[in-house]
Amino acid sequence: MTTAEVGQKHDKFVADFNNKYIKVLPNNYPPQCFDQTVKFTDILGVPHAPGNPSPFPYPNAYQIYTDYGPFQAQYFTKVANTPDYVPQKGDIMVWAGSYNGGVGHVGTATGKGDVNTFECFEQNDPTGSNAHLRTYNYNHVLGCLRPKVTSSGTTPPMDDNVKRKAYFFDLIWQAEFGTSVDTDKATE
């Protein structure tokens, strides 16, 4: 998935769920901020952690950042809140336990903002509120988990010492000259 695709999915997510309650986790709690974020990761196609209904097997929102581990590292890059940090569209913003009575908070950045404030799509802040856009400052923000993306239109680096797939130009070569490139072993 590219950065543009993450942005498009986030735009559609906001359009589809703005001013609605999002409930995805199988618990008896009313819709929480965690539900909003899990719904977005589901839209991105991020799998759930083994034995858990989300990619984040934690009871508190702040733990999405503080307990980031190998499973999450497959799908997200952890980015700290620094003085020059500005969230990108689709960043999963995480607030410390010092916010919201000890559990923290989580939402998804819209990409609008600067080093002083940013816009976030979130729910349950204030408590009981549905999903909505809200502007925040960086007080209590630990940082974000940024969905991992790939560049569009790039060819993976080729190394003749490793097995590789045939690329489009290999197929043209085969059609033009009647020979094929052996992708099962290194070429010399």
Side-chain angles (χ1 to χ4, degrees), residues 1-11 88-89 149-150 152:
M1 183 173 315
T2 66
T3 301
E5 290 169 327
V6 169
Q8 290 165 353
K9 287 180 183 276
H10 193 267
D11 288 343
Q88 294 179 6
K89 188 181 292 187
V149 296
T150 58
S152 176

Side-chain angles (χ1 to χ4, degrees), residues 14-152:
V14 172
D16 289 349
F17 291 97
N18 195 25
N19 295 314
K20 297 178 182 173
Y21 286 99
I22 302 170
K23 178 69 177 155
V24 296
L25 296 175
N27 58 35
N28 293 327
Y29 298 115
Q32 301 292 307
C33 59
F34 223 100
D35 288 291
Q36 181 271 343
T37 298
V38 171
K39 181 67 174 177
F40 182 59
T41 61
D42 287 347
I43 289 168
L44 291 178
V46 176
H48 295 174
N52 197 276
S54 91
F56 314 110
Y58 320 117
N60 298 303
Y62 73 86
Q63 290 178 286
I64 291 173
Y65 189 85
T66 61
D67 294 0
Y68 171 87
F71 178 82
Q72 293 76 28
Q74 296 174 75
Y75 309 101
F76 303 98
T77 301
K78 185 177 180 181
V79 180
N81 177 16
T82 61
D84 59 347
Y85 170 70
V86 177
Q88 294 179 6
K89 188 181 292 187
D91 281 358
I92 297 172
M93 303 300 296
V94 185
W95 283 255
S98 57
Y99 188 79
N100 201 17
V103 297
H105 188 58
V106 64
T108 53
T110 66
K112 296 177 183 174
D114 55 32
V115 297
N116 299 307
T117 62
F118 65 95
E119 186 180 60
C120 192
F121 186 57
E122 54 85 39
Q123 74 179 6
N124 204 37
D125 187 18
T127 301
S129 62
N130 59 16
H132 59 276
L133 295 167
R134 182 171 175 183
T135 300
Y136 286 93
N137 62 34
Y138 292 91
N139 291 346
H140 306 277
V141 173
L142 294 169
C144 79
L145 297 190
R146 180 168 290 154
K148 288 190 174 180
V149 296
T150 58
S151 298
S152 176

